[in-house]
Amino acid sequence: MNGPSFPGAVGVIGGGRMGAGIAHAFLLAGADVTILEQDADAATSALTRLHDAVRTSVDRGSSSETEEMLVRRAAVATRVERLRHCDLVIEAVPEVPALKLDILKRVESELATDAWLCSNTSSISIDLLASSLARPERFCGLHFFNPVPSSSLIEIVPGERTNPELIEHARDWANQVGKTAIVVGNSPGFASSRLGIIVAIEAMRMLEEGVATASDIDTAMVLGYRHPVGPLRLTDMVGLDVRLGIAEYLASELGERFEPPGILRDKVAAGKLGRKTGEGFFTWST
């Protein structure tokens, strides 16, 4: 393969926008990829999402392989045992601790003892997630950013019992998929989510208070601080429900400064989750 520690077969648990993006990155880097989904409909949607991403990459000249060659190395599954052949499995399901604990335990039980297991969690304690595992030394956080194809960063988060060899492998994987890796401590929200959510929460509070419009708040950060995208538009891209889950978790761990604003709770309750539903803090076309 592309390097001594690069996995030949990668499994991704969850084929949503983030999971499909992770699968896409490893596919372009030369791995065989299998996405695990909860049912046949979700698996079909995940495969379509991945194929669309592959087509875009080929059209843009981002791969030396043809679309057919890439697609041939991609598969979807609904049964955990279909990941048995994987050298590396990355969990990318919603930020619900109980859900992650359950699926990580079930997947680990099917993997070879020398396989590596990672979580794409953006905020949940790696030690908490490792508590359900028989081999916590072969587990760490591997946090990608949305949208995966255009983002440049991966956070590597070791747990208390993570084998240092895994961290070195993770650095190599990040390099192979064209990302820059940073290693951060297992603190709630790690580095990026903790910083990102506090800016987003304050932007929401400003919107609630009528300080400025959503567009003008974002423009202040884009032009004034050179952020590539404003905090409210980024929240729409990530998903308001995802941001709410992160804020609630950080509020429980770090205090009231992370308490979700009412406007965020109201929009999530109304099903206005951002780009994926067509409306959040902004209106999105299909």
Side-chain angles (χ1 to χ4, degrees):
M1 292 301 297
N2 299 320
S5 67
F6 193 76
V10 175
V12 179
I13 309 169
R17 184 180 298 275
M18 178 63 77
I22 295 170
H24 177 222
F26 278 96
L27 196 63
L28 290 184
D32 296 327
V33 175
T34 301
I35 296 176
L36 180 69
E37 264 293 1
Q38 59 186 342
D39 55 44
D41 287 344
T44 299
S45 296
L47 191 60
T48 299
R49 201 172 287 119
L50 181 57
H51 284 188
D52 288 345
V54 165
R55 187 175 305 112
T56 298
S57 293
V58 172
D59 289 345
R60 291 177 176 173
S62 301
S63 175
S64 60
E65 295 184 87
T66 66
E67 182 179 342
E68 285 133 354
M69 292 167 66
L70 290 165
V71 165
R72 198 178 302 131
R73 290 191 282 102
V76 293
T78 58
R79 291 162 41 191
V80 172
E81 53 266 32
R82 287 283 303 277
L83 300 182
R84 285 176 180 167
H85 69 290
C86 293
D87 308 301
L88 165 67
V89 174
I90 302 169
E91 169 272 308
V93 302
E95 289 286 283
V96 179
L99 175 62
K100 289 181 180 289
L101 284 163
D102 176 65
I103 192 63
L104 286 167
K105 182 178 181 179
R106 288 196 288 125
V107 168
E108 186 201 39
S109 70
E110 297 290 343
L111 296 179
T113 56
D114 61 349
W116 303 106
L117 184 60
C118 299
S119 174
N120 183 58
T121 181
S122 56
S123 61
I124 300 171
S125 167
I126 297 304
D127 288 332
L128 171 63
L129 297 180
S131 66
S132 66
L133 301 179
R135 298 185 293 278
E137 70 279 2
R138 304 193 72 83
F139 175 73
C140 76
L142 197 63
H143 178 211
F144 288 74
F145 290 78
N146 194 15
V148 176
S150 60
S151 67
S152 301
L153 182 67
I154 292 179
E155 279 185 314
I156 302 170
V157 189
E160 185 177 338
R161 297 176 63 183
T162 299
N163 187 328
E165 182 185 2
L166 174 53
I167 305 309
E168 293 311 307
H169 284 333
R171 287 184 187 274
D172 184 54
W173 302 334
N175 180 61
Q176 294 290 348
V177 299
K179 313 295 184 188
T180 298
I182 62 172
V183 179
V184 300
N186 183 33
S187 176
F190 315 132
S192 61
S193 292
R194 187 165 169 176
L195 287 169
I197 198 70
I198 202 70
V199 173
I201 285 174
E202 189 58 30
M204 294 173 206
R205 290 176 179 145
M206 291 168 64
L207 184 61
E208 276 185 325
E209 295 166 8
V211 172
T213 65
S215 179
D216 285 348
I217 291 169
D218 274 11
T219 298
M221 297 305 293
V222 171
L223 298 184
Y225 290 90
R226 302 301 183 193
H227 287 202
V229 63
L232 297 175
R233 188 171 295 275
L234 181 58
T235 295
D236 273 12
M237 295 167 66
V238 171
L240 275 70
D241 52 336
V242 175
R243 277 277 165 96
L244 176 59
I246 294 170
E248 288 178 330
Y249 176 75
L250 292 182
S252 70
E253 294 290 320
L254 299 174
E256 63 181 13
R257 68 186 186 278
F258 289 97
E259 184 62 30
I263 192 173
L264 177 59
R265 292 190 184 279
D266 291 345
K267 284 184 177 291
V268 171
K272 298 177 180 180
L273 307 183
R275 180 169 62 181
K276 59 190 171 186
T277 61
E279 184 179 356
F281 290 104
F282 297 89
T283 300
W284 298 78
S285 66
T286 55

